[in-house]
Amino acid sequence: MKRPRPVDILKTDASFSAYLAHLSALVSIRTVTSDAHATAAGIEHCRKALVALLEPFGWRVSTDVEGNLRCEPRSDAIDPSRPLLWLCAHIDTVDADPVDFGGHDPFSCRETQSHLVGRGTNDCKAGVAFMLWYAEQLAAGALPAFNGGFLVTRYEEAGSHQPRSATAFARSLASGELQLAEAPHKTFFMILENTVRLRPAGAAEIG
């Protein structure tokens, strides 16, 4: 039996509308990286959603000491002999002026004929919204679980003295801080930011 693919499910109107609802809700949270309370509110929004969706199935949702979010499946659902995958995106944005958005509120998601417009719609709340949407599909049984988990970071834009990047999470894996640290090798991070583009021929590729 052929396994469903996210790209095929997203093509349905109802599913794409669900994805846009997640993205719109995220954009409306003004998570400017210099505002710790705002970025914490964005993380809390994601935490509540993931707890409601995946904790009933044994997933563990937690924040680290720097306020970043991770969502991990049950340890018995992980096969360390197979490649592991972490999906990763950041919730924070740089600030925005309505002048730069045609007089519209930068922290609202508007849909035009060709674009979704709002601060963070691409960088990087589209990736966060995808993870929330995927969790929704997992909970509904529409998509299978994968051999890994989700990471949402909060200070990517800041140039923080302790930026929480994929590299930092890799160090946490190596140190044993994360549940999946027992994996001996082949651990991958997919950063869901500016990763897909159309080439002149019209074929999509991962950037």
Side-chain angles (χ1 to χ4, degrees):
M1 179 178 174
K2 187 176 180 181
R3 299 176 73 179
R5 300 185 307 161
V7 66
D8 294 326
I9 293 177
L10 266 172
K11 287 179 181 177
T12 65
D13 288 343
S15 188
F16 190 62
S17 294
Y19 170 76
L20 290 182
H22 284 299
L23 181 57
S24 182
L26 289 167
V27 173
S28 71
I29 305 171
R30 189 180 177 277
T31 53
V32 175
T33 195
S34 58
D35 187 336
H37 293 291
T39 55
I43 290 289
E44 179 63 11
H45 172 88
C46 297
R47 189 195 69 80
K48 285 182 177 179
L50 292 170
V51 164
L53 290 166
L54 296 181
E55 274 199 350
F57 299 95
W59 286 61
R60 177 172 170 246
V61 182
S62 60
T63 53
D64 65 16
V65 295
E66 294 168 14
N68 304 290
L69 182 68
R70 63 181 184 251
C71 183
E72 306 162 75
R74 301 188 321 269
S75 57
D76 62 359
I78 290 296
D79 180 357
S81 69
R82 294 172 49 228
L84 302 175
L85 173 67
W86 285 97
L87 298 182
C88 182
H90 64 89
I91 195 78
D92 62 315
T93 70
V94 296
D95 208 349
D97 190 318
V99 172
D100 298 325
F101 285 79
H104 296 279
D105 179 6
F107 295 95
S108 64
C109 187
R110 295 185 298 112
E111 186 173 0
T112 71
Q113 289 186 338
S114 59
H115 289 80
L116 296 170
V117 182
R119 176 61 84 214
T121 48
N122 180 43
D123 180 12
C124 186
K125 291 181 177 180
V128 179
F130 177 81
M131 290 191 281
L132 297 181
W133 173 85
Y134 200 110
E136 198 171 64
Q137 299 299 312
L138 284 174
L143 283 171
F146 56 93
N147 205 42
F150 304 107
L151 305 172
V152 182
T153 64
R154 59 179 290 189
Y155 285 128
E156 193 272 351
E157 300 286 3
S160 165
H161 67 288
Q162 286 186 314
R164 195 61 169 174
S165 62
T167 303
F169 272 111
R171 286 196 297 268
S172 294
L173 281 169
S175 69
E177 179 186 341
L178 294 180
Q179 175 183 316
L180 303 187
E182 296 305 313
H185 62 291
K186 293 186 178 178
T187 297
F188 297 94
F189 291 86
M190 179 171 281
I191 312 302
L192 303 176
E193 176 179 3
N194 304 326
T195 54
V196 179
R197 65 174 180 167
L198 292 179
R199 293 183 294 184
E205 65 175 15
I206 300 296

